Amino acid sequence: MNIAVVSYWHVHAEGYTKEVLEKTDSKIVAVWDEEEERGRKYAEEFSVPFIKDYEELLHNSNIQGVIITAPTSMHKELIIKAIKQGKKVFSEKVLALTLSDCLEIKEALLASGKDITLSLVKKCESTFLFAKELVESGSLGRITYARMRNVHNGSTGNWLPEHFYNKEQCGGGAMIDLGAHPMYLLTWLLGTPLTVQSVFTDITGHGVEDNAVSVIEFEGEAIGVAETGFVSVYTPPILEISGTDGTLIVGETIRYATKETEGRWITPDKLPPALPSPLVMWARDQGEEMEAFGIEASITLTKLMEAAYESHTTGKKAVIATGSFQTHPGSSIAD
């Protein structure tokens, strides 16, 4: 597939370009960027044309796919235009800033008969695939609680680009960026989310949260906790899952104890093989494996994010209803 990179705004855009070139038979053949100088720089680096006019890029029949790594606030417009021109679309998370934007994208996909692929990379890692298998096997019993912490020091280390603190472009700070991983992973493991309650703080004074926790109630009464931030160091991703019959802990090592092991902590001898990244599977057109990275998972993630930020803004629990959310009466974070 011949692919165009649509903006180098996101910190992952350069890595995605290299991943396509090094791990697939697809080619990067063009670059568009809302900032012309940046776009021309990367087009020159990768020896491809810079196309200033997005419509011109989309009308180029030599381009079959686009990687959307533009500001999240631009996703809806860029993605829908690409879908309508018959392009295959890969997008950086999150899909869009609002549920209504996601539903417009879904409508365009339904009309085209295509799907979209989102960068939900944690679903590809062998440790989390093992967690999914263990949950589905029933060995942990009825799942009652899970938490995932996913953090880095992008703010305290001053290595995140300044535009990652632009609320209009990003929709928020740490939770909508790095916190997306705990959000979609918990949903993948626990099922349908019902309510969200958030506490966000701004340690470094950038105007958006860089330290954040959202507590999620799931169907079946399991509780999930999504923890994230740009102000922590030396912390690998940590996942804990507890059920009525056992517990799994995933960190730098992975171990579990269940009734079947009589409470003894076990380190598995073998983990499921890791999947290629969503980008690589998309570029290779591995169709059947892509459902977990498609539009429905993308919509659920945006619903969770929208509710998480509403909860932070109002100080109240946000209830995820059919397609939207509303403030839960009489409930607040302070309580």
Side-chain angles (χ1 to χ4, degrees):
M1 176 164 64
N2 289 334
I3 297 167
V5 178
V6 178
S7 179
Y8 281 84
W9 175 87
H10 202 281
V11 293
H12 290 159
E14 185 174 1
Y16 288 153
T17 305
K18 292 176 180 178
E19 195 172 8
V20 168
L21 296 174
E22 294 169 5
K23 296 184 179 180
T24 80
D25 293 329
S26 293
K27 299 176 182 178
I28 302 297
V29 297
V31 167
W32 175 92
D33 201 300
E34 72 278 7
E35 291 187 8
E36 184 174 345
E37 182 179 353
R38 180 176 62 201
R40 289 191 181 279
K41 169 184 174 293
Y42 281 103
E44 181 178 352
E45 179 179 334
F46 292 107
S47 302
V48 298
F50 173 77
I51 301 178
K52 186 175 180 179
D53 187 325
Y54 188 58
E55 301 288 347
E56 179 186 338
L57 182 150
L58 293 179
H59 282 87
N60 185 335
S61 60
N62 189 47
I63 297 170
Q64 290 93 41
V66 292
I67 296 172
I68 304 292
T69 33
T72 311
S73 58
M74 299 179 68
H75 278 196
K76 183 184 80 167
E77 179 183 2
L78 295 172
I79 290 171
I80 289 177
K81 284 183 175 181
I83 292 167
K84 288 183 176 179
Q85 289 300 318
K87 308 302 183 188
K88 287 184 61 179
V89 180
F90 175 90
S91 176
E92 179 54 70
K93 55 173 186 19
V94 297
L95 179 60
L97 295 180
T98 67
L99 173 61
S100 61
D101 285 353
C102 287
L103 294 178
E104 287 187 52
I105 293 170
K106 181 179 179 179
E107 186 178 354
L109 287 169
L110 289 172
S112 72
K114 297 181 182 294
D115 201 350
I116 194 169
T117 300
L118 212 64
S119 185
L120 309 181
V121 293
K122 298 295 184 187
K123 293 183 179 181
C124 300
E125 296 182 21
S126 58
T127 53
F128 300 126
L129 288 167
F130 179 82
K132 176 75 167 172
E133 287 184 1
L134 198 65
V135 167
E136 292 185 343
S137 74
S139 294
L140 300 179
R142 178 182 176 183
I143 304 302
T144 56
Y145 181 85
R147 63 178 283 265
M148 183 178 179
R149 179 166 174 77
N150 194 51
V151 296
H152 60 53
N153 72 331
S155 293
T156 49
N158 293 315
W159 55 262
L160 275 178
E162 193 61 32
H163 59 249
F164 261 51
Y165 307 110
N166 185 315
K167 188 174 182 179
E168 289 185 1
Q169 291 185 352
C170 303
M175 185 55 78
I176 201 166
D177 176 51
L178 200 59
H181 296 296
M183 288 280 197
Y184 69 70
L185 200 68
L186 289 170
T187 303
W188 187 51
L189 294 168
L190 302 184
T192 303
L194 302 177
T195 70
V196 184
Q197 199 158 350
S198 300
V199 178
F200 299 164
T201 59
D202 180 6
I203 301 292
T204 56
H206 282 95
V208 293
E209 83 283 353
D210 54 20
N211 194 34
V213 174
S214 291
V215 179
I216 307 162
E217 176 191 0
F218 286 87
E219 202 169 65
E221 301 186 335
I223 295 172
V225 182
E227 306 174 18
T228 194
F230 297 155
V231 292
S232 297
V233 292
Y234 315 131
T235 307
I238 296 169
L239 172 68
E240 298 178 15
I241 307 174
S242 296
T244 54
D245 294 338
T247 295
L248 168 72
I249 299 175
V250 178
E252 292 186 308
T253 61
I254 179 169
R255 59 197 183 108
Y256 65 95
T258 68
K259 282 186 177 179
E260 295 167 354
T261 71
E262 298 180 335
R264 295 191 307 275
W265 286 95
I266 302 295
T267 298
D269 295 328
K270 186 177 180 181
L271 297 176
L275 296 173
S277 74
L279 174 65
V280 168
M281 288 192 285
W282 172 78
R284 293 176 179 171
D285 198 24
Q286 293 177 228
E288 289 186 4
E289 298 177 26
M290 301 310 297
E291 184 178 347
F293 310 92
I295 187 61
E296 295 304 331
S298 305
I299 288 172
T300 299
L301 176 57
T302 296
K303 284 200 294 187
L304 266 168
M305 283 297 175
E306 200 171 13
Y309 279 89
E310 179 70 7
S311 173
H312 166 65
T313 300
T314 64
K316 299 180 183 296
K317 184 183 291 185
V319 177
I320 302 174
T322 53
S324 74
F325 62 87
Q326 48 193 236
T327 301
H328 193 282
S331 179
S332 72
I333 292 169
D335 293 341

